[in-house]
Amino acid sequence: MPSIKLKKKTQEYLAEKERSKQLTKEPEEEKETEIEKNKKKDVKPKKKEKPPVLEAEVPVILEKRKRTVPPGEQQLTDWLTEHVESREGASVSYQTLFEYFTDFCAQQNIPVTVDPSQFNRDVKDKFGKEFGIKESSPYKGLIREIKAKPKSTKPKAESLTMKMRDIVEEILKETGNPTNGVRFPNIKVATANKYPALQVDLQPHKLLQALERGVYYGRIELVKGTGKCGFYRIFGAEPREDIKEKEEKEKEKEKQKKEEKLQKKKERKESEKENKEGDEEPVKPEEETPKKKGTKRKLEEKGDDKKGDDKKGDVKKEEEPQKKKKKKRHIKKPKWEKTDPHSNPEKIDDTFPLAFTYCSEPKEASFGKIKKYLVENYPSVNAETRLKPAIEKGIEKGIWEQSSGNSVGQGSYRLLLDDFDPESSKTIDDMICQAIVASHEPKQSTVIRIKQYIMDYHPDFNIESRPHKFKTAMERALKNGVIRQITGIGMSGTFQLAKPFIPPPRTLAGVEDLTEEWIGDEGVSGENYVVRKTKSGRYAGRQA
């Protein structure tokens, strides 16, 4: 339509121009006389009226101009209508159709002006996704038709539309929401039985993520344990009535047991007091009395006293009351970072820092940490010049290996020794071994290895016959923040030192008074720490 309007305006403009030319063909003299007369009269000339516009007698196109289809596209549409038809449940590959179309054009000596992409687009626009070859077409047996696959009807369960948060809370309510919490395996089994479409038994990480998210936002409470070993309950919600009654009964039983124990203790104390207050103490027969140190000497003194009493007229001496022993003051011991816990520990807790340093695997430290340790503890050794060649030689000998980094002065190094003597610092290799053992992080180990370490190197604590002492020490260290639990529940998981612990050579060797003269010598002879092999035997190497 805009092209029609433009033509109309051009015709009007040309007609007006011709009309103005005819009117302006007057003689020049008449123009001059009119101008002079107007000047004399001082009258302004009148404006000339515009001549009427003549309408151009041109045919006007009111309809849209039709697009002429190129011969290549027309040929394609004709070929498709002749050989292809729309059909449900069938389809033909676009590539094979395009190949047969090009062969047809080559036989007719017609150039192919359509790309494969344009060909696919035209077929989709005309027939859709489901189409096949006509029975009247000669290509009926040549072009293979593909049957469309039936749409798989997936089970649409209600649980798939529910949120995992609501499912977890619902299951915890059904289990009763006890104060001690519900174990993760029990929650998993309950969800798998009630909502099998979620497939929680095959994908337990989804349930674990939902529980951890609930703990983070404060909707769920983690009573004890961590991760899949944890006990969970709804935060702030009270347990079910039947479970409440069970818990109250258990509490009453525990109270009764405690009361019985207290009564027994009181009875024992009263019986002991009565025996002490009596004039004559019950004497046990000599055969039944256990033999202790100094029993002969005491018996001899009693015999002498009896002989003296017989001579003086059988006068008995009154026994003097026993003196009360003074209670020792409880002196608070400083933190393990400032003391020397390996050499002379007073408690089992004091052995944990070095137990973790020696028992943790792998022992791996970076080049920067090794250099810093040598500079701080061995100032006489020039670390900048001697460290790199020493590390290269150690790699050749098999003392350690480079676990990361490309060159020698980069990356980290892992210790590969079977035996390691922390007291010897004769060579720079021994110093580097000390640096790797002392500065490797994180220091973590299992409870079994720590217990074995204390039994081997600190037998005075007698942990084997008194395991409850070791357990109380571990619980105390957890409470004070010396160690923290990474995996497992109770004493069955792995633990880690809460703070970085980099012991100097004196603390690492377990020697109390270590002077500068000792550095460079073999040192005091002591027990060598044996690096235990792993299951795969990776960290087994030559002896130092």
Side-chain angles (χ1 to χ4, degrees):
M1 294 302 290
S3 60
I4 295 164
K5 289 179 181 178
L6 187 71
K7 286 180 181 180
K8 212 175 201 180
K9 286 182 179 180
T10 50
Q11 294 295 333
E12 288 175 357
Y13 175 72
L14 291 169
E16 189 180 352
K17 201 170 183 182
E18 288 177 0
R19 182 70 177 167
S20 62
K21 279 181 182 180
Q22 288 177 3
L23 292 170
T24 54
K25 286 181 181 179
E26 293 180 355
E28 293 179 359
E29 293 177 358
E30 290 179 1
K31 285 182 182 180
E32 289 176 359
T33 52
E34 283 179 3
I35 292 162
E36 287 175 357
K37 285 178 184 179
N38 290 328
K39 282 181 181 179
K40 288 176 182 179
K41 290 179 181 180
D42 297 328
V43 179
K44 291 180 180 180
K46 291 181 181 180
K47 289 182 179 180
K48 295 177 181 178
E49 293 180 357
K50 289 182 180 180
V53 179
L54 297 172
E55 292 182 359
E57 295 177 358
V58 179
V60 178
I61 301 167
L62 299 172
E63 295 179 359
K64 189 177 179 180
R65 186 179 290 173
K66 292 181 180 179
R67 178 177 171 272
T68 55
V69 180
E73 289 184 14
Q74 186 64 40
Q75 191 175 356
L76 174 62
T77 52
D78 296 340
W79 188 81
L80 288 172
T81 51
E82 187 179 353
H83 301 289
V84 184
E85 65 178 356
S86 59
R87 191 186 301 164
E88 291 183 0
S91 62
V92 181
S93 66
Y94 296 105
Q95 189 175 359
T96 53
L97 268 178
F98 184 71
E99 286 174 0
Y100 278 102
F101 175 69
T102 50
D103 291 341
F104 173 75
C105 293
Q107 289 174 4
Q108 299 291 330
N109 294 325
I110 301 165
V112 180
T113 58
V114 182
D115 296 332
S117 59
Q118 184 66 34
F119 178 83
N120 298 346
R121 209 177 297 120
D122 292 341
V123 173
K124 281 181 184 178
D125 292 340
K126 194 166 187 180
F127 302 105
K129 291 183 179 180
E130 294 180 350
F131 55 90
I133 306 298
K134 286 182 178 181
E135 292 181 357
S136 60
S137 163
Y139 301 115
K140 178 62 180 172
L142 296 172
I143 299 172
R144 185 186 171 187
E145 292 183 1
I146 303 164
K147 290 182 179 180
K149 292 180 180 179
K151 292 180 180 179
S152 59
T153 56
K154 292 182 179 180
K156 294 181 179 179
E158 293 180 359
S159 58
L160 297 173
T161 57
M162 291 173 69
K163 289 185 178 180
M164 204 71 185
R165 176 183 69 187
D166 301 332
I167 292 165
V168 169
E169 289 178 359
E170 186 181 346
I171 286 158
L172 287 172
K173 284 177 184 176
E174 286 179 0
T175 51
N177 194 28
T179 52
N180 295 329
V182 186
R183 289 182 66 202
F184 177 80
N186 296 340
I187 298 166
K188 186 178 77 173
V189 170
T191 49
N193 292 334
K194 191 169 183 181
Y195 301 108
L198 293 173
Q199 297 182 351
V200 176
D201 51 348
L202 300 175
Q203 297 172 343
H205 64 276
K206 290 183 179 179
L207 182 62
L208 185 63
Q209 286 174 1
L211 288 166
E212 287 177 349
R213 209 179 297 119
V215 171
Y216 179 77
Y217 287 109
R219 292 189 298 271
I220 297 167
E221 182 184 357
L222 179 62
V223 181
K224 58 183 177 180
T226 53
K228 293 181 181 178
C229 299
F231 288 74
Y232 300 90
R233 70 183 298 272
I234 297 167
F235 183 76
E238 293 184 355
R240 208 164 55 197
E241 291 180 358
D242 56 345
I243 290 168
K244 258 188 182 180
E245 291 175 359
K246 284 183 182 178
E247 289 175 354
E248 287 174 358
K249 286 178 182 178
E250 287 176 358
K251 284 179 181 178
E252 286 176 0
K253 286 180 182 178
E254 287 177 359
K255 283 181 181 179
Q256 287 176 2
K257 286 179 182 179
K258 286 180 181 178
E259 287 174 359
E260 287 175 0
K261 284 181 181 179
L262 290 169
Q263 284 178 0
K264 286 179 182 179
K265 283 183 180 178
K266 285 179 181 179
E267 289 173 0
R268 284 176 188 172
K269 286 180 181 178
E270 286 175 359
S271 62
E272 286 174 1
K273 283 180 181 179
E274 287 174 359
N275 292 330
K276 286 179 181 178
E277 288 174 358
D279 295 329
E280 294 180 0
E281 292 181 359
V283 180
K284 293 180 181 179
E286 292 182 359
E287 294 178 359
E288 294 179 358
T289 54
K291 291 182 180 181
K292 295 181 181 179
K293 288 183 180 180
T295 51
K296 289 182 180 180
R297 184 173 57 77
K298 288 179 182 178
L299 290 168
E300 286 173 2
E301 287 176 1
K302 284 180 182 179
D304 294 336
D305 292 338
K306 283 178 183 178
K307 287 176 183 178
D309 292 338
D310 293 331
K311 287 177 182 179
K312 289 177 183 179
D314 298 332
V315 180
K316 291 181 180 180
K317 291 183 180 181
E318 293 180 0
E319 292 182 356
E320 294 179 359
Q322 292 181 357
K323 292 180 181 180
K324 293 181 179 179
K325 292 181 180 180
K326 291 182 180 179
K327 291 183 179 179
K328 292 182 180 180
R329 288 184 180 180
H330 181 69
I331 299 164
K332 287 186 178 179
K333 194 177 178 184
K335 291 182 181 179
W336 49 264
E337 292 176 356
K338 297 178 182 178
T339 58
D340 191 4
H342 186 63
S343 60
N344 191 15
E346 294 180 6
K347 296 179 184 178
I348 298 169
D349 310 359
D350 301 335
T351 62
F352 290 158
L354 278 177
F356 276 96
T357 53
Y358 284 119
C359 294
S360 64
E361 289 291 344
K363 291 177 178 64
E364 187 176 338
S366 63
F367 182 82
K369 284 184 178 179
I370 296 164
K371 189 177 179 181
K372 188 180 178 182
Y373 190 85
L374 293 178
V375 169
E376 288 178 356
N377 297 295
Y378 299 103
S380 60
V381 177
N382 192 358
E384 291 185 357
T385 56
R386 293 184 65 186
L387 185 58
K388 282 185 181 179
I391 284 170
E392 285 179 354
K393 288 179 183 177
I395 291 166
E396 291 175 0
K397 290 176 185 177
I399 301 169
W400 50 75
E401 66 175 0
Q402 190 170 6
S403 56
S404 64
N406 299 321
S407 61
V408 177
Q410 295 176 353
S412 56
Y413 299 88
R414 187 180 294 162
L415 199 65
L416 299 175
L417 289 177
D418 281 336
D419 297 336
F420 168 67
D421 187 5
E423 295 177 358
S424 70
S425 59
K426 188 181 265 187
T427 61
I428 195 166
D429 293 345
D430 298 334
M431 297 175 191
I432 293 166
C433 289
Q434 286 179 357
I436 292 168
V437 172
S439 59
H440 79 279
E441 289 291 338
K443 293 179 175 67
Q444 59 187 20
S445 180
T446 58
V447 179
I448 298 163
R449 296 190 71 180
I450 294 159
K451 192 174 180 181
Q452 190 64 42
Y453 172 87
I454 295 165
M455 285 163 63
D456 292 342
Y457 297 100
H458 301 284
D460 299 334
F461 291 118
N462 198 11
I463 289 171
E464 193 170 0
S465 60
R466 298 186 298 174
H468 62 279
K469 294 281 184 185
F470 176 72
K471 189 178 179 182
T472 51
M474 289 289 287
E475 288 173 356
R476 202 184 306 121
L478 274 168
K479 192 176 180 181
N480 295 332
V482 177
I483 59 174
R484 62 182 176 190
Q485 192 168 10
I486 300 166
T487 59
I489 302 169
M491 296 292 109
S492 63
T494 56
F495 293 82
Q496 180 181 330
L497 287 177
K499 297 177 184 177
F501 176 67
I502 303 171
R506 182 181 66 82
T507 308
L508 195 67
V511 180
E512 288 185 356
D513 300 327
L514 191 65
T515 57
E516 291 182 359
E517 296 175 359
W518 185 83
I519 297 168
D521 299 329
E522 290 182 2
V524 182
S525 62
E527 295 177 347
N528 291 341
Y529 172 69
V530 179
V531 181
R532 290 181 175 84
K533 293 180 182 179
T534 57
K535 289 181 180 178
S536 59
R538 284 188 301 171
Y539 307 117
R542 296 183 191 175
Q543 294 183 0

